[in-house]
Amino acid sequence: MNKNTSNVHEKTEKSDFLTMDRRTFLKTAGLLGASVFLGTYKTELVSALALSETKILWLHGAECTGCTESLLNGGDPDVLVALQALNAKLAYHETLLAGQGIFVDGKPANTSELNSEILVDELIAEGNYILVVEGAIPNGPEGSGRFFMVGNRTFKELFAKAAGNATAILAVGTCAAYGGINSASSAIAELTDYRGVAFTKNNSYGGMLQELGINKPVINIPGCPSHPDWMLLTLSAVVLGKIRIPGDLPSVLDSYGRPKAYFDEDVHDECPRHDYYEDEEFDTEIGGHKCLFKLGCKGKHANADCSIRKWNGGTSMCIQAGSPCIACVEPGFPDSARPFYMQGGGSSDGGESDGGESDGEKSDRRRGDDGDSSDVDSYDDGSRRDSYYRRGDD
Amino acid sequence: MVNVTVDPLTRIEGHLRLSTEINGEGVITDARSSCLLFRGFERILQNQDPRDAALLTQRICGVCPTSHSLAAANALDQLFGVAESVPKDALVARNINQALNTIASHATHIYVLWGPDLANPAYRDVLAPLGETGTSVWKELVGRFAPISYSIGGTPVPAGSSYLAAIPEKKRLHEAIAVIGGKMPHQVTSYPGGCTYRPNSADIGKLSSYYFQVMDFVSKYTLRVPFDTWIENTYRASSPQKAVNFLLEHLQGLVDNSTSGSNSNNFAREAGWGDMEFYAAFGSELIGEKLLGLPASLKHDRHGGYGDPSKINFLAYGAFYRPENGDGYDPNSPAGDRFQTSGVVTGNLEYKNFDASKITESIAHSFYEGSEELHPSEGETNPIGDPAEIRYDRGPDSRYTWAKAPRYDGIPCEVGPLSRLFAMKEPLVTGLARTFKENGYSPANTYTRMIARIQETAIIANELLKWVTEDYDPNGKIAVHTDLSMAKDSQGMGLWEAPRGALGHWVSTDSNSKVVSYQPVVPSTWNFSPRDSAGTPGPAEQALIGIKINAVENSLGVDYSNPVNILHVGRSYDPCIACAVHTIDLTGKNAPGILRIV
């Protein structure tokens, strides 16, 4: 626990969790991590049961299920206990629930208890749910969305229906947030035409919502996969009203729609190997323990708190395991970080190199003055609102 | 004839459709398996640095990412010309990484994805007439295996005890992978020539601790007989018959105890019925009813098998390097070279050596242009671009899936734990398969497929401890030197095993060491393949054709609206559909300029 963390911890131990203001909540939650946070505030969370039930409808687009796997890695309390504490019901989730689509001679059969297609339609009709999307959404071929069909309809159609009636949308993982690996440059990227929910790569007009003409508030929680703390804490903040939607979004999110609480740090600044960088000691072969900058580390261009929070219950992180950061939380991933094991690359706008800065150059410089200013403007509230959030603010 | 279609088959990775034609007796006369998603990030490695493949290809699947990154690392080892010199300790570290991934994946499948079907209300109805025995068995099924957010007839059903306890174990196993892999899913340490991280002695201590915590779960929930006793008498049994006899005697003791006296109709864990024992006895008609004398069973041995043994093989590429062989390994995975050996076992259970050159892929019934049967190293992928042609309702003669149809010597192959344990002649599973065959059942069926997955988990856990505590040297070398120039004009083949079956990656490069082609052939493509150009259905399709759709052989009549046997058979293969659809296919033939869009 670093200095900042312990200060916040001390301060908030005396605070009333439920009446904590948004800023303190996010800072506390952000610094402590889901495990400590939900543990510390268990009592208060239990009284949250007085809250009305929040339904969560979780859709799987073009994905690898890695974000669901990661969600299940949430710890102390684990995800199922946390959901219970928040009085949040995972009303629909293809990987976890009992039902499946059942059609007899083309017509949906049985009831919503066993038929997930009936269930999802009933839930959408009832409304009043938070929609979580994992995975990207194909628009191709030719705008039909038929590269992904499910339950006799396109996923694009299901998404449109679910998004249209949602209270708010969380796009978890880089695929749902920005298209991710599905949108990587390739000969058929145009044909498949994969979209994120609100963005495609760094284009805030390129998401599927815009394509469908649907206007809904969206929070992006990227990462490949996303971190369980990022997902659970954001969900907690929304459920408990600590982030009011849509009013708070412009001040809470950065210009790529990510909660600043988790995507404000960059991986480089708190990197466990940062001292080697300062001392200009670089690994040039894998398997060492020094700075990975010359092995292609993109930590300087990755806005995430991995270095503080780490992964899998604080066990480790990519750099700690000798592997360069590939900036998987950035809108341009993976193109913006390729080639992974070479210096250069690392811009957030999908493929542009930052010009290959020299070793150790300006080791203390921060975002905002290192050349790729498109994504790195100041963090003052109000100064980095782009048109996407103005659209979301109505 | 009635069409019953399950779409989507949930509780799997990805999106799968199983469409069946059913006659008046509730028997499936035709089945089609469709993979519903084309992710289409083909060619993303083309003209790129081949080293990116180990990190990128694991994004194919968040459930078995380690497998993809290690299949890629194997292909890259050969591409860089270092397969013969990868240090022994790097190979052991890879083994540990894969073992943890396989155990986590199997546990997730058994308890979170597959298990909830055992709490299907159809079993309550079938068991009800059996009086107290039936009620007790149902109580165990729903009490152990019910999923979250479940209800029956409007009454909420709490999540099952095994289901709930398994989720923290999966989390624990992912933490263990993070110790040596950085994070999970999508661990980061696979690299040509070795690993990026050398686990230290503190890490080894942590891994041992994780191991014992997981084994604590196993002894509380899965297997009530002591683990060492189990391994000694099944996996290490001197013959398949002895392994089966041990199982039957162990189960008979439990049955006798629970069908008489004060313990009557007590099938709880406390009475010795771990989940393995419970399913081993009640899952099978042959074992449970005919051999142990139980009044009823779930009859899972009556579905999921193959009607014609000449149309099916059981295929394994082999996985887990042998530390006793020292540095390096043979990329061709010859028979006996790996802890889990490669091999091709015929439908009549005869073992043959595996030859990677006999693999072809047909696209006659897949949404791709062309129809040649090509080896994966020369495979191509031209997706159909006309929306009107992407349809799933035009019958078995049409194109109906995004999966291709891989064949070995022209024959469809089941891949996965059952095939691997057949290839390594594991006594218990081989013995059970023979017992079923001798009694007129298909040796492969839903029951043996699940027993094999549970048994494989035990075997790999047993070996994992040896790799961690005996074979790995924290002072050893973790990688050999590689640089990009070593990958000029080269080729590599990565043969490996994902939890759900044989996984191969093929890569080739040009004179600038840039990727020319990259082609994975993955387990669920084998298992959920469509018909090939000869019209032979894929393994899961064959396994559905001829079965009764409802619980316990339609014993309560035909109910098209709850086709629980389709669900059991489909999920028994542990489908991973994000994998199954060819995600990365980079061939020189499909350069951007000549992509045809029809």
Side-chain angles (χ1 to χ4, degrees):
Chain A
M1 194 178 285
N2 70 19
K3 186 158 50 80
N4 284 343
T5 314
S6 59
N7 285 347
V8 171
H9 192 250
E10 201 175 301
K11 188 173 149 200
T12 53
E13 264 179 347
K14 301 176 184 93
S15 310
D16 174 357
F17 166 74
L18 286 174
T19 57
M20 198 183 288
D21 66 53
R22 168 180 60 75
R23 203 172 288 270
T24 315
F25 176 94
L26 286 171
K27 200 164 185 189
T28 308
L31 284 166
L32 293 181
S35 55
V36 179
F37 182 80
L38 292 174
T40 306
Y41 295 102
K42 226 172 213 167
T43 323
E44 288 84 349
L45 282 169
V46 171
S47 65
L49 285 168
L51 295 166
S52 57
E53 183 181 82
T54 306
K55 281 181 291 190
I56 298 164
L57 199 156
W58 186 299
L59 292 186
H60 285 85
E63 42 77 49
C64 72
T65 315
C67 291
T68 287
E69 284 273 343
S70 187
L71 179 79
L72 294 173
N73 289 341
D76 298 324
D78 62 51
V79 58
L80 299 182
V81 180
L83 289 174
Q84 199 177 16
L86 293 165
N87 202 16
K89 183 183 179 188
L90 201 51
Y92 182 83
H93 188 296
E94 282 171 19
T95 321
L96 298 174
L97 265 50
Q100 46 275 310
I102 304 170
F103 296 87
V104 176
D105 284 335
K107 294 186 188 65
N110 215 305
T111 70
S112 59
E113 287 183 352
L114 275 182
N115 191 329
S116 58
E117 287 296 296
I118 295 176
L119 175 67
V120 75
D121 282 338
E122 283 180 5
L123 288 166
I124 292 170
E126 285 165 18
N128 194 28
Y129 53 84
I130 295 171
L131 175 65
V132 179
V133 181
E134 175 181 0
I137 307 148
N139 195 42
E142 297 173 16
S144 69
R146 293 181 76 86
F147 278 133
F148 181 14
M149 305 276 295
V150 62
N152 291 327
R153 55 187 154 190
T154 65
F155 182 72
K156 180 183 175 183
E157 191 183 334
L158 176 61
F159 169 77
K161 202 173 168 188
N165 234 8
T167 311
I169 304 176
L170 306 187
V172 305
T174 304
C175 293
Y178 311 118
I181 200 157
N182 304 285
S183 298
S185 304
S186 83
I188 53 170
E190 273 185 44
L191 174 65
T192 53
D193 194 11
Y194 268 98
R195 308 294 184 95
V197 171
F199 283 67
T200 297
K201 295 196 166 181
N202 66 345
N203 178 3
S204 66
Y205 286 104
M208 185 52 85
L209 287 178
Q210 178 85 354
E211 174 75 18
L212 293 164
I214 297 171
N215 188 357
K216 286 284 172 181
V218 177
I219 300 176
N220 287 331
I221 315 173
C224 191
S226 192
H227 195 294
D229 287 1
W230 302 337
M231 295 186 269
L232 276 174
L233 288 168
T234 306
L235 192 61
S236 306
V238 171
V239 168
L240 296 171
K242 297 298 172 187
I243 297 178
R244 291 187 308 274
I245 291 178
D248 287 342
L249 294 185
S251 60
V252 170
L253 307 182
D254 74 5
S255 61
Y256 294 122
R258 304 175 289 197
K260 290 182 205 169
Y262 321 117
F263 301 97
D264 189 24
E265 307 282 337
D266 70 37
V267 169
H268 176 70
D269 285 344
E270 301 285 340
C271 175
R273 299 187 177 193
H274 191 266
D275 286 354
Y276 289 107
Y277 179 85
E278 294 289 330
D279 297 341
E280 300 188 25
E281 290 189 48
F282 301 104
D283 276 346
T284 53
E285 291 276 341
I286 59 151
H289 59 276
K290 295 177 183 167
C291 176
L292 297 169
F293 184 73
K294 288 192 174 181
L295 285 176
C297 186
K298 310 297 188 295
K300 285 181 164 193
H301 307 283
N303 294 296
D305 62 6
C306 300
S307 296
I308 300 168
R309 184 178 302 282
K310 299 200 175 170
W311 284 76
N312 301 89
T315 302
S316 188
M317 63 175 292
C318 302
I319 296 166
Q320 191 172 330
S323 192
C325 172
I326 56 174
C328 68
V329 295
E330 296 304 316
F333 177 80
D335 295 338
S336 56
R338 296 198 286 174
F340 293 150
Y341 300 97
M342 305 270 269
Q343 280 178 252
S347 70
S348 294
D349 54 357
E352 290 292 310
S353 163
D354 69 357
E357 59 192 316
S358 58
D359 306 338
E361 178 194 353
K362 293 185 191 170
S363 60
D364 59 345
R365 69 192 191 181
R366 302 288 300 240
R367 285 176 308 274
D369 53 9
D370 62 354
D372 49 353
S373 56
S374 60
D375 63 315
V376 291
D377 44 6
S378 121
Y379 285 95
D380 295 337
D381 287 351
S383 69
R384 54 192 325 231
R385 305 284 67 76
D386 67 8
S387 49
Y388 167 62
Y389 289 107
R390 284 199 294 278
R391 281 188 282 124
D393 285 351
D394 59 356
Chain B
M1 204 68 78
V2 174
N3 176 279
V4 173
T5 294
V6 177
D7 176 7
L9 181 71
T10 52
R11 275 183 281 114
I12 64 168
E13 197 297 321
H15 297 87
L16 178 67
R17 170 188 173 104
L18 298 173
S19 190
T20 62
E21 307 300 327
I22 296 169
N23 68 18
E25 282 77 53
V27 173
I28 297 177
T29 58
D30 187 41
R32 293 185 306 283
S33 150
S34 300
C35 298
L36 299 168
L37 165 67
F38 180 67
R39 278 206 285 179
F41 46 90
E42 270 83 358
R43 304 184 184 89
I44 66 169
L45 283 171
Q46 191 168 34
N47 296 320
Q48 298 275 346
D49 188 328
R51 294 173 297 184
D52 293 357
L55 288 178
L56 278 179
T57 59
Q58 68 180 332
R59 265 78 189 178
I60 291 172
C61 177
V63 184
C64 52
T66 300
S67 315
H68 277 287
S69 76
L70 287 178
N74 284 356
L76 295 175
D77 288 340
Q78 191 181 28
L79 186 83
F80 281 79
V82 295
E84 287 74 23
S85 55
V86 180
K88 181 266 287 178
D89 292 302
L91 298 178
V92 178
R94 288 182 182 179
N95 279 357
I96 294 169
N97 201 327
Q98 182 60 59
L100 290 164
N101 185 201
T102 300
I103 295 168
S105 179
H106 282 359
T108 304
H109 180 257
I110 293 161
Y111 284 114
V112 181
L113 306 181
W114 196 82
D117 285 328
L118 299 174
N120 188 298
Y123 288 120
R124 178 196 59 188
D125 301 340
V126 170
L127 289 163
L130 292 173
E132 204 189 328
T133 305
T135 315
S136 300
V137 172
W138 169 246
K139 194 179 114 196
E140 294 300 326
L141 288 172
V142 76
R144 296 183 192 208
F145 303 117
I148 57 167
S149 303
Y150 191 43
S151 61
I152 297 178
T155 308
V157 176
S161 54
S162 299
Y163 181 100
L164 283 177
I167 287 177
E169 294 314 310
K170 186 210 79 85
K171 180 176 72 181
R172 211 189 298 281
L173 286 157
H174 276 203
E175 278 178 27
I177 294 174
V179 168
I180 59 166
K183 80 179 206 298
M184 188 70 182
H186 303 326
Q187 61 79 40
V188 296
T189 53
S190 310
Y191 194 84
C195 306
T196 66
Y197 181 67
R198 189 175 71 184
N200 57 35
S201 38
D203 296 331
I204 296 307
K206 278 185 211 158
L207 290 178
S208 307
S209 158
Y210 281 118
Y211 171 83
F212 287 111
Q213 286 172 352
V214 170
M215 292 317 285
D216 194 45
F217 166 86
V218 170
S219 68
K220 274 189 190 137
Y221 289 89
T222 314
L223 201 54
R224 297 292 286 179
V225 65
F227 186 69
D228 291 344
T229 308
W230 176 266
I231 289 288
E232 210 52 47
N233 290 284
T234 60
Y235 171 55
R236 294 199 202 286
S238 56
S239 73
Q241 193 55 52
K242 281 191 177 160
V244 172
N245 288 347
F246 171 80
L247 176 70
L248 290 175
E249 282 162 24
H250 173 52
L251 295 178
Q252 191 69 60
L254 294 173
V255 170
D256 292 346
N257 190 42
S258 295
T259 48
S260 61
S262 60
N263 240 342
S264 186
N265 289 319
N266 180 1
F267 303 106
R269 282 192 202 90
E270 295 67 35
W273 293 93
D275 298 332
M276 170 65 159
E277 284 101 341
F278 186 78
Y279 186 70
F282 284 95
S284 159
E285 175 186 75
L286 176 64
I287 303 293
E289 295 179 58
K290 295 185 182 166
L291 298 178
L292 297 172
L294 288 169
S297 77
L298 308 182
K299 298 192 200 291
H300 285 186
D301 45 3
R302 296 287 294 266
H303 48 70
Y306 303 107
D308 182 350
S310 74
K311 289 201 162 60
I312 192 76
N313 281 330
F314 302 93
L315 171 68
Y317 293 165
F320 301 113
Y321 320 96
R322 285 191 189 276
E324 55 270 33
N325 292 351
D327 295 349
Y329 65 95
D330 185 339
N332 295 309
S333 187
D337 199 48
R338 305 211 174 153
F339 167 64
Q340 290 195 289
T341 184
S342 65
V344 182
V345 176
T346 67
N348 286 315
L349 304 183
E350 293 151 359
Y351 178 92
K352 293 179 181 172
N353 286 349
F354 164 69
D355 174 359
S357 71
K358 291 188 174 172
I359 300 169
T360 54
E361 288 191 297
S362 164
I363 53 168
H365 294 279
S366 315
F367 295 129
Y368 301 101
E369 288 295 297
S371 61
E372 305 101 308
E373 309 229 338
L374 297 171
H375 185 267
S377 62
E378 45 194 27
E380 53 183 39
T381 301
N382 284 324
I384 281 173
D386 178 358
E389 291 296 309
I390 304 170
R391 292 179 55 173
Y392 297 92
D393 58 353
R394 293 185 296 186
D397 297 331
S398 67
R399 298 183 190 274
Y400 59 86
T401 179
W402 288 107
K404 296 181 183 179
R407 298 292 185 259
Y408 182 87
D409 221 0
I411 309 281
C413 297
E414 173 172 349
V415 297
L418 186 64
S419 299
R420 286 191 290 257
L421 297 200
F422 281 170
M424 63 193 292
K425 303 185 176 77
E426 194 280 327
L428 178 65
V429 169
T430 305
L432 283 172
R434 284 186 194 164
T435 308
F436 280 110
K437 189 162 174 263
E438 285 158 12
N439 285 277
Y441 292 76
S442 168
N445 54 56
T446 301
Y447 173 82
T448 51
R449 199 168 288 126
M450 289 307 297
I451 294 290
R453 186 166 290 114
I454 300 167
Q455 177 70 347
E456 184 178 66
T457 310
I459 293 169
I460 292 177
N462 185 59
E463 207 65 17
L464 170 65
L465 188 64
K466 174 178 165 287
W467 290 325
V468 170
T469 59
E470 293 175 31
D471 293 319
Y472 180 73
D473 175 3
N475 299 312
K477 202 172 168 188
I478 204 69
V480 292
H481 169 79
T482 55
D483 63 59
L484 209 48
S485 68
M486 296 160 72
K488 278 182 191 165
D489 289 321
S490 189
Q491 293 185 24
M493 173 174 69
L495 297 176
W496 199 244
E497 292 285 337
R500 40 199 63 67
L503 172 65
H505 285 201
W506 282 262
V507 60
S508 67
T509 45
D510 63 17
S511 59
N512 295 316
S513 300
K514 295 289 173 66
V515 172
V516 174
S517 89
Y518 201 103
Q519 179 87 8
V521 179
V522 311
S524 297
T525 317
W526 286 101
N527 289 334
F528 291 91
S529 83
R531 284 148 175 80
D532 53 33
S533 49
T536 307
E541 292 179 335
Q542 292 183 36
L544 286 166
I545 294 169
I547 70 165
K548 297 190 171 79
I549 60 166
N550 293 130
V552 193
E553 297 297 278
N554 297 353
S555 66
L556 293 183
V558 179
D559 174 7
Y560 299 111
S561 75
N562 187 9
V564 66
N565 286 354
I566 299 177
L567 311 179
H568 283 315
V569 173
R571 291 187 178 114
S572 72
Y573 289 91
D574 191 7
C576 182
I577 303 307
C579 288
V581 176
H582 271 255
T583 38
I584 301 177
D585 167 40
L586 310 157
T587 70
K589 293 172 190 166
N590 293 326
I594 61 164
L595 175 71
R596 288 203 298 146
I597 300 174
V598 290

